[in-house]
């Protein structure tokens, strides 16, 4: 690596002098010697790049006439290899993804400037490494080329490992951003699903509005699945594997798949009867199917044929991507299309995060990467068979699992929605609509319900000797008292009370949940909520 300069030349694109000083002071307090120039127009940036080339560019994204996207485009047009970091008060998930795909090296929120100095140091080291690489490549063209070839190859491998590490760091940044909005977004979806369900309960099966409401309900479920997909992909939400029947899952989402692919695509499903089960998170299995189908649909813009097949297999081909499963029997899911196909280079990068062959704004590049992550987590493997103009066939191999013995429901019912017997439930939720929906569902389900908008209010109700609650249903992420302290206080006041959590996003390192307490994921259905409440009351879980 080249020697680091004594002083770092910083070009700061910022229309606020106060914010500029804040950024520079933060870097200087980290031990960096900064010589900076502030500009706020394209002409100012163009002049600085031409006459006073910087070591690094930091750009605000909130300026009214010259944002980070325009600054990045201007920098790339000069051909200069200069790191570009976005610093913004707020930035949307799509904007952040688009900027990184366009060439931004990182983004840092202004309320988390502690990340800025390490990001600057990292990107400067990368830039200096690239300069060294260019000098090395020039030297290789001299008489010493043969003797230095091995050394260069080793450096290439090291830089590739560093690139992969930096990619992981960027994914972590995107994941933190996703986690910040997941909770509120799932609450909104819960409101849509909840009130849609109430209206559907009042309409007869032949009502003309029923198909429209069912489409709204399906759309809300798909949006919830996409949110969960991003959280799982970002390692912010753990998967919950269970033994599932692949044929059943395909059958359950067939109607949704048919609407997704459109009428210009011939669609066929061929499932092998008596297929073994697999062990995987059902949501992740649905994501695998949906992402493969969406990818196949995108490869056939002018129509074609798409087939889904399930089958059993005794081995995994040697060409499979991923570690070969250790099972002796496998369940296969194949999605085949007659679309444009993939050349070898596209196949090589097909499962790479953020890689996409679609135009800007037409794909996130996370679809097949998420498929690979889900299959790898389930100890499976994938094969890709494709060629330009010859369509694509992707097969997922998952270890077979024995079909579980069906047990009778704990309340003695035979598959109908579990109902209450007048038990008293306290709902603790700061979102007014979710609180109202939960209360309404539970009341209709046969329970006596009270609610509280804050944990302090909930504690007053729990400690009231005239009230005897059987179960507490509480959101995980709420302002005020930490969730663990809240649960411990409730249990000291009422040792016999049962507890169930509900949340759209629980992976927060600052919040520790007590072990053994079940969680209902938002947005939840009436059946899911009532079943969990009944199961918890019957089992005595606390």
């Amino acid at each position: 690596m080249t020697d680091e300069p004594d002083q770092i030349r910083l070009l700061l694109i910022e229309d606020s002098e106060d914010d500029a000083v804040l950024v520079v002071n933060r870097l200087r307090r980290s031990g960096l010697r900064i010589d900076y120039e502030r500009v706020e127009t394209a002409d100012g940036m163009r002049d600085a790049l031409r006459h006073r080339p910087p070591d690094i560019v930091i750009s605000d994204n909130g300026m009214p006439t010259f944002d980070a996207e325009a600054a990045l485009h201007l920098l790339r047009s000069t051909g200069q290899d200069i790191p570009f970091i976005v610093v913004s008060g707020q930035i949307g998930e799509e904007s952040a993804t688009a900027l990184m795909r366009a060439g931004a090296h990182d983004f840092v929120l202004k309320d988390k400037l502690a990340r800025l100095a390490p990001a600057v140091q990292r990107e400067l080291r990368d830039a200096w490494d690239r300069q060294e690489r260019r000098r090395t490549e020039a030297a290789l063209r001299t008489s010493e080329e043969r003797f230095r070839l091995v050394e260069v190859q080793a450096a290439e491998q090291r830089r590739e490992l560093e690139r992969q590490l930096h990619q992981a760091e960027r994914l972590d940044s995107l994941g933190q951003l996703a986690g910040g909005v997941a909770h509120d977004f799932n609450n909104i979806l819960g409101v849509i699903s909840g009130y849609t369900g109430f209206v559907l309960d009042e309409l007869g099966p032949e009502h003309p509005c029923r198909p429209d409401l069912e489409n709204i309900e399906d759309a809300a479920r798909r949006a919830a699945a996409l949110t969960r997909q991003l959280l799982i992909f970002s390692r912010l939400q753990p998967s919950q594997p269970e033994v599932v029947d692949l044929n059943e899952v395909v059958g359950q989402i067939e109607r949704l798949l048919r609407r997704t692919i459109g009428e210009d695509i011939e669609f066929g499903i061929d499932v092998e009867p008596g297929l073994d089960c697999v062990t995987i998170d059902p949501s992740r299995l649905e994501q695998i199917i949906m992402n493969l189908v969406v990818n196949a649909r995108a490869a056939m813009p002018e129509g074609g044929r798409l087939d889904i097949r399930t089958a059993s297999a005794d081995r995994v081909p040697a060409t499979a991507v991923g570690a070969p499963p250790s099972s002796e029997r496998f369940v296969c899911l194949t999605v085949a299309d007659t679309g444009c196909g993939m050349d070898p280079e596209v196949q090589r990068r097909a499962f790479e995060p953020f890689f996409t062959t679609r135009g800007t704004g037409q794909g996130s590049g996370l679809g097949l990467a998420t498929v690979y992550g889900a299959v790898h987590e389930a100890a499976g493997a994938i094969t890709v068979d494709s060629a330009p103009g010859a369509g694509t066939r992707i097969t997922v191999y998952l270890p077979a699992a024995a079909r579980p013995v069906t047990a009778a429901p704990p309340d003695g019912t035979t598959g109908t929605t579990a109902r209450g017997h007048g038990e008293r439930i306290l709902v603790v939720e700061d979102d007014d609509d979710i609180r109202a929906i939960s209360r309404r569902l539970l009341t209709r389900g046969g329970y006596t319900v009270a609610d509280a908008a804050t944990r302090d209010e909930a504690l007053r109700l729990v400690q009231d000797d005239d009230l005897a609650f059987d179960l507490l249903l509480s959101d995980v992420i709420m302002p005020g008292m930490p969730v663990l302290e809240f649960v411990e206080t409730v249990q000291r006041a009422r040792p016999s009370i049962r507890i169930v959590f509900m949340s759209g996003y629980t992976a927060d390192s600052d919040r520790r949940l007590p072990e053994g307490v079940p969680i209902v994921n938002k947005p939840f259905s009436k059946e899911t909520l009532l079943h969990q409440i009944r199961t918890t009351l019957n089992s005595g879980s606390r």
Side-chain angles (χ1 to χ4, degrees), residues 412-464:
T413 63
T414 58
T416 58
T417 300
R419 292 188 56 81
H421 309 296
E423 294 94 337
R424 295 185 61 86
I425 296 178
L426 175 59
V427 177
V428 187
E429 167 64 67
D430 58 333
D431 186 289
D432 294 341
D433 288 318
I434 295 295
R435 191 171 64 253
I437 288 171
S438 300
R439 178 168 186 160
R440 192 166 167 183
L441 287 174
L442 292 170
T443 300
R444 289 185 172 189
Y447 298 98
T448 302
V449 186
D451 60 59
T454 68
R455 286 177 175 154
D456 289 336
E457 181 185 355
L459 288 177
R460 287 194 295 270
L461 293 173
V462 168
Q463 293 166 352
D464 189 336

Side-chain angles (χ1 to χ4, degrees), residues 214-253:
E214 289 174 345
N215 285 337
I216 294 173
E217 197 171 44
D218 282 342
R221 278 197 292 267
R222 290 178 61 193
L226 288 174
T227 304
R228 179 170 168 79
Q229 171 184 337
L230 185 58
L231 290 176
I232 292 176
F233 179 78
S234 305
R235 306 296 186 188
L236 292 177
Q237 182 163 313
S239 61
Q240 299 170 344
E242 58 184 78
V243 177
V244 296
D245 186 321
L246 174 59
N247 287 347
E248 285 187 6
V249 174
V250 171
Q252 289 167 0
I253 66 172

Side-chain angles (χ1 to χ4, degrees), residues 75-134:
L75 175 61
R76 291 291 171 262
S77 69
T78 67
Q80 299 183 63
D81 183 9
I82 300 174
F84 186 95
I85 295 178
V86 181
V87 174
S88 179
Q90 59 181 1
I91 186 169
E93 175 187 320
E94 293 184 0
S95 298
T97 302
L99 284 170
M100 287 192 294
R101 288 178 52 202
H105 293 80
D106 206 343
F107 68 88
V108 178
L109 298 177
K110 286 186 177 180
D111 60 354
K112 295 185 179 180
L113 285 180
R115 287 191 60 248
L116 181 58
V120 167
Q121 292 170 322
R122 181 192 70 222
E123 297 304 333
L124 285 173
R125 283 195 301 269
D126 282 357
W128 294 326
D129 277 353
R130 292 192 294 272
Q131 293 173 11
E132 177 65 14
R133 178 186 178 184
R134 287 191 288 271

